[in-house]
Structures are given as C-alpha cells and as structure tokens.
C-alpha cells in the first residue's frame, strides 16, 4: 500500500511541476508582450507635442 501511495505522490508532484512550468512560460510570454506595449505608450505620451490647451 505504501508503494502505491508513493507512486501517487510522485505523479502529483510531476503534474504540479508541469503546471508550474506552464504558468511560468505563460507569465514570461505575457511579460514579453506587455512590457514593450506599455513602454511605447508611456514614451508616446511623454514625447507628444504640446497643444495650446496644455500651455
């Protein structure tokens, strides 16, 4: 019975480690996509020309 429980624990650890790996991959892809978009929009606002209403 202990051997069967050990195999179950190993399979749960394997599933959990794969889940964490996929979550890390999705988070990394999200950062690669989001950071440049946010930086572009930030610099677009900073360097846009002033209008008469702003002065």
């Amino acid at each position: 019975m202990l051997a069967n429980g050990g195999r179950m624990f190993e399979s749960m650890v394997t599933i959990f480690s794969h889940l964490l790996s996929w979550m890390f991959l999705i988070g990394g892809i999200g950062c690669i996509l989001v950071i440049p978009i946010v930086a572009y929009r930030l610099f677009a606002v900073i360097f846009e020309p002033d209008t008469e209403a702003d002065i």
Side-chain angles (χ1 to χ4, degrees):
M1 180 156 181
L2 183 60
N4 192 16
R7 284 192 208 110
M8 183 174 174
F9 177 73
E10 287 179 10
S11 65
M12 288 176 60
V13 168
T14 302
I15 291 169
F16 186 66
S17 65
H18 285 215
L19 178 68
L20 287 178
S21 297
W22 278 106
M23 288 172 63
F24 180 79
L25 183 66
I26 291 168
I29 292 170
C31 288
I32 290 171
L33 292 174
V34 168
I35 291 173
I37 293 169
V38 171
Y40 172 76
R41 295 178 100 186
L42 174 68
F43 285 108
V45 168
I46 290 174
F47 295 117
E48 69 183 5
D50 292 334
T51 60
E52 291 296 324
D54 294 334
I55 300 174

